[in-house]
């Protein structure tokens, strides 16, 4: 057996973590041979609830779970971690303006960035799940200057998984037979789910998704809005936000980052280098491939006029969020 790696999950007493912790501890993320030592961070008032989660993890009798540390202290939580799932964030309340939401989250991600900077491994891989995820990841990275910028990512894999499932259902194929669906931009309602480069396997042969669906209007309207609004649809039905699917997406994102993607493209929010005419220095979701723990943006894709419009809109929103957040940081 390999040496255990330390993995932190924040918001550890919350809904998403409740689904995520089992996946991490069971080997679904870091592989069936890699033991993990879980660091569970939440706020002080949640320590009682967290104790119950710790009991349940023990009661799962998981062979790969080397230990569990519940804590309300960020420096304890981030000590020597190789992977960080930053799930805890301030949720948006009724009537809350973006500025209010950002100021609450700047406080959280500033504190966590500083703690990561001080005590985490320098090669730590950080996934921000808590919303607004893209901008939270950017803030966190600003306050952790000793950790490479490319080690901070935001989750758009839930959107990608939603998009892939929608296309598979429309085409009447298994979900794994659809690949290279892309989410561009922000994990918000301006995101651009893009099927123009996606491929489907039908009857043993590969076919471009747009040709297989043969309904351009659907791909530009219904498909896009269904994926953009899926989170709201789940809340309307469940009276709570998507937790099971969010945890699964976080597992997928981190597993692919650690173990590689092969020839599949995956969507990850990463610090933009200006590729595809996007604004630099915002965390923007791109199609990437991963090998040896390093992601790389897929190059050379054709951007249609429609896609250009969508990319510009989500880029503009990210720039505005960044400027608002920087104001708050001051």
């Amino acid at each position: 057996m390999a040496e255990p790696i330390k993995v932190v999950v924040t918001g550890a007493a919350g809904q998403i973590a409740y689904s995520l912790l089992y996946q991490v501890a069971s080997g679904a993320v870091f592989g069936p041979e890699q033991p993990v030592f879980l660091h569970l961070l939440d706020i002080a008032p949640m320590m009682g609830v967290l104790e119950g989660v710790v009991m349940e993890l023990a009661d799962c009798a998981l062979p790969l779970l080397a230990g569990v540390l519940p804590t309300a202290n960020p420096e304890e939580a981030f000590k020597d971690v190789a992977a960080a799932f930053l799930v805890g964030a301030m949720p948006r309340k009724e009537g809350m303006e973006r500025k209010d939401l950002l100021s609450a989250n700047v406080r959280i991600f500033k504190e966590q960035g500083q703690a990561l900077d001080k005590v985490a491994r320098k090669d730590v891989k950080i996934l921000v799940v808590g919303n607004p995820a893209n901008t939270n990841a950017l803030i966190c990275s600003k306050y952790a200057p000793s950790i490479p910028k490319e080690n901070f990512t935001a989750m758009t894999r839930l959107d990608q998984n939603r998009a892939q499932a929608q296309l598979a259902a429309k085409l009447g194929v298994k979900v794994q037979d659809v690949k290279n669906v892309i989410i561009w931009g922000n994990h918000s309602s301006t995101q651009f789910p893009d099927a123009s480069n996606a491929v489907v396997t039908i009857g043993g042969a590969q076919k471009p998704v747009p040709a297989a669906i043969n309904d351009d209007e659907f791909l530009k309207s219904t498909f896009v809005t269904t994926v953009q609004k899926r989170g709201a649809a789940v809340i309307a039905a469940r009276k709570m936000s998507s937790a099971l699917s969010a945890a699964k997406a976080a597992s997928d994102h981190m597993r692919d980052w650690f173990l590689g993607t092969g020839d599949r493209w995956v969507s990850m929010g990463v610090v933009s280098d200006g590729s595809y005419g996007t604004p630099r220095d915002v965390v923007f979701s791109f199609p990437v491939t991963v090998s040896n723990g390093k992601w790389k943006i897929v190059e050379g894709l054709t951007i249609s006029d429609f896609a250009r419009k969508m990319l510009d809109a989500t880029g503009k929103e990210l720039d505005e969020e960044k400027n608002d957040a920087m104001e708050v940081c001051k």
Side-chain angles (χ1 to χ4, degrees), residues 100-162:
D100 306 332
L101 184 67
L102 281 167
S103 65
N105 280 297
V106 163
R107 277 199 302 281
I108 297 168
F109 286 90
K110 175 180 179 179
E111 181 185 43
Q112 294 186 1
Q114 288 167 334
L116 281 161
D117 198 53
K118 193 169 167 187
V119 300
R121 285 172 39 162
K122 293 307 171 200
D123 63 352
V124 59
K125 291 181 165 58
I126 299 147
L127 168 59
V128 178
V129 176
N131 286 320
N134 299 56
T135 300
N136 287 343
L138 186 72
I139 292 160
C140 201
S141 140
K142 294 275 182 222
Y143 286 103
S146 71
I147 296 169
K149 274 218 268 285
E150 56 268 24
N151 290 28
F152 288 86
T153 64
M155 186 169 89
T156 51
R157 184 59 171 267
L158 177 53
D159 308 301
Q160 179 190 308
N161 287 350
R162 286 166 170 164

Side-chain angles (χ1 to χ4, degrees), residues 167-187:
L167 294 173
K170 177 85 171 164
L171 289 160
V173 299
K174 295 202 287 267
V175 76
Q176 65 269 33
D177 291 337
V178 175
K179 65 177 207 181
N180 300 354
V181 190
I182 301 168
I183 305 297
W184 299 94
N186 200 2
H187 173 65

Side-chain angles (χ1 to χ4, degrees), residues 14-318:
Q15 277 274 335
I16 293 175
Y18 194 67
S19 285
L20 177 61
L21 291 169
Y22 174 76
Q23 300 194 43
V24 174
S26 68
V29 180
F30 301 103
E33 301 292 316
Q34 178 59 66
V36 294
F37 194 114
L38 284 176
H39 289 191
L40 308 182
L41 179 68
D42 214 314
I43 55 177
M46 298 305 289
M47 288 301 109
V49 175
L50 196 54
E51 214 31 67
V53 175
V54 173
M55 286 185 219
E56 283 205 77
L57 282 167
D59 298 349
C60 288
L62 291 159
L64 291 171
L65 185 56
V68 182
L69 169 74
T71 180
N73 174 350
E75 289 197 8
E76 224 176 75
F78 291 118
K79 182 103 181 86
D80 298 329
V81 294
F85 292 90
L86 306 188
V87 180
M90 178 73 173
R92 192 170 198 150
K93 306 257 175 28
E94 282 288 328
M96 207 184 210
E97 290 301 312
R98 184 168 71 194
K99 274 256 169 74
D100 306 332
L101 184 67
L102 281 167
S103 65
N105 280 297
V106 163
R107 277 199 302 281
I108 297 168
F109 286 90
K110 175 180 179 179
E111 181 185 43
Q112 294 186 1
Q114 288 167 334
L116 281 161
D117 198 53
K118 193 169 167 187
V119 300
R121 285 172 39 162
K122 293 307 171 200
D123 63 352
V124 59
K125 291 181 165 58
I126 299 147
L127 168 59
V128 178
V129 176
N131 286 320
N134 299 56
T135 300
N136 287 343
L138 186 72
I139 292 160
C140 201
S141 140
K142 294 275 182 222
Y143 286 103
S146 71
I147 296 169
K149 274 218 268 285
E150 56 268 24
N151 290 28
F152 288 86
T153 64
M155 186 169 89
T156 51
R157 184 59 171 267
L158 177 53
D159 308 301
Q160 179 190 308
N161 287 350
R162 286 166 170 164
Q164 197 176 332
Q166 289 296 323
L167 294 173
K170 177 85 171 164
L171 289 160
V173 299
K174 295 202 287 267
V175 76
Q176 65 269 33
D177 291 337
V178 175
K179 65 177 207 181
N180 300 354
V181 190
I182 301 168
I183 305 297
W184 299 94
N186 200 2
H187 173 65
S188 75
S189 58
T190 67
Q191 61 170 274
F192 174 37
D194 176 13
S196 64
N197 296 282
V199 177
V200 58
T201 305
I202 296 184
Q206 285 205 335
K207 202 170 174 185
V209 164
I213 285 182
N214 194 21
D215 183 349
D216 211 33
E217 200 37 53
F218 166 81
L219 290 176
K220 285 182 175 172
S221 57
T222 314
F223 167 66
V224 170
T225 52
T226 302
V227 176
Q228 286 174 336
K229 295 179 178 160
R230 185 70 161 189
V234 171
I235 292 176
R238 213 173 86 90
K239 308 295 176 257
M240 287 197 280
S241 58
S242 25
L244 184 71
S245 53
K248 161 64 165 58
S251 298
D252 288 346
H253 177 120
M254 196 66 88
R255 184 194 61 234
D256 286 343
W257 198 0
F258 267 78
L259 305 180
T261 55
D263 66 345
R264 288 174 305 119
W265 305 348
V266 296
S267 303
M268 285 169 64
V270 299
V271 176
S272 171
D273 60 357
S275 288
Y276 295 106
T278 58
R280 283 173 184 273
D281 199 35
V282 298
V283 171
F284 195 100
S285 179
F286 289 101
V288 304
T289 53
V290 182
S291 63
N292 302 322
K294 300 265 185 250
W295 56 264
K296 188 173 172 301
I297 295 173
V298 174
E299 291 172 0
L301 300 179
T302 306
I303 304 296
S304 68
D305 292 347
F306 173 70
R308 179 76 270 152
K309 201 173 81 222
M310 300 294 282
L311 260 69
D312 290 348
T314 194
K316 180 170 177 280
E317 182 182 60
L318 279 168

